[in-house]
């Protein structure tokens, strides 16, 4: 079974621009979560999508948004980029269901975003 | 809220040494506990997990036991190899329908031959 894939792997943007990152989950997984990893703040949860609905959200400004498509693929968007948005953005998928016990999250390789 | 406290690094050991990386947690519900490993330039790989008290997770010679009484999930390996050099993250999720992973700060492990 193919793992979680993320595209692109590397991005360089300038301040004020916007960016869209893509994530394809493991086949059959309906939950997709996004995390930001920086040396200073570590790994922080951005949001989780399940069946095209945002089910949970972390403490990030509204410039960070996401969506999920009917095939469970997900995108996250960051508008008006700031230098502090430079980070590794990780996507994870899980086989969790509508209700009940949480699943185990499997991560993709990440997208390295550099904001100049 | 939930939190994970992890042993500060970096940790440097000789090959075949015994490894312990300490992890303690604070959670209001019934968390599942995880260890993830990150190799240079890569994403996170699940190393092992435990979903209830006294469960032992194990994989590739690594072990960790879910201790509810001490709120701990320490990672151990009896004999480390150079290939174990990586950053190790302890994490938890609230077991009831919340996929959010709360991570520790990570411990960088270097094994010297």
């Amino acid at each position: 079974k193919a793992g979680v894939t993320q595209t692109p792997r590397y991005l360089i943007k300038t301040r004020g621009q916007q960016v869209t990152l893509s994530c394809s989950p493991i086949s059959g997984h309906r939950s997709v979560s996004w995390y930001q990893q920086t040396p200073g703040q570590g790994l922080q949860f951005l949001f989780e999508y399940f069946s095209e609905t945002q089910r949970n959200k972390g403490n990030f400004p509204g410039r960070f948004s996401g969506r999920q498509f009917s095939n469970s693929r997900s995108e996250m968007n960051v508008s008006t980029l700031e230098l502090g948005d430079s980070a590794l953005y990780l996507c994870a998928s899980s086989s969790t269901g509508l209700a009940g016990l949480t699943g185990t999250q499997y991560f993709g390789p990440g997208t390295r975003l550099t904001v100049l | 809220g939930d939190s994970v406290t992890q042993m500060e690094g970096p940790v440097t050991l000789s090959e075949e040494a015994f490894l312990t990386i300490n992890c303690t947690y604070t959670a209001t519900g019934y968390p599942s506990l995880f260890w993830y490993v990150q190799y240079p330039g890569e994403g996170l790989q699940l190393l092992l997990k435990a979903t209830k008290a006294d469960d032992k997770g194990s994989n590739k010679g690594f072990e960790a036991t879910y201790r509810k009484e001490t709120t701990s999930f320490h990672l151990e390996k009896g004999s480390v190899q150079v290939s174990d050099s990586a950053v190790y993250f302890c994490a938890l999720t609230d077991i009831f329908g919340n996929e959010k992973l709360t991570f520790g700060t990570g411990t960088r492990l270097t094994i010297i031959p």
Side-chain angles (χ1 to χ4, degrees), chain B residues 94-106:
Chain B
D94 179 339
I95 201 169
F96 290 117
N98 183 342
E99 293 296 309
K100 172 186 172 182
L101 272 165
T102 299
F103 286 92
T105 53

Side-chain angles (χ1 to χ4, degrees), chain A residues 35 37 56 94 102 104-105, chain B residues 36 38 49 95 98-99 101:
Chain A
Y35 295 82
Q37 185 178 24
N56 200 2
S94 164
T102 54
T104 298
Q105 293 188 46
Chain B
Y36 283 88
Q38 187 174 36
K49 67 176 183 180
I95 201 169
N98 183 342
E99 293 296 309
L101 272 165

Side-chain angles (χ1 to χ4, degrees), chain A residues 11-20 63 78-86 112-116:
Chain A
L11 264 179
I12 300 176
K13 294 284 187 180
T14 56
R15 277 182 300 173
Q17 287 186 311
Q18 75 166 17
V19 67
T20 299
R63 300 185 297 107
V78 187
S79 62
T80 320
L81 284 166
E82 300 177 359
L83 295 179
D85 297 334
S86 293
R112 172 76 61 185
L113 172 64
T114 302
V115 182
L116 302 175

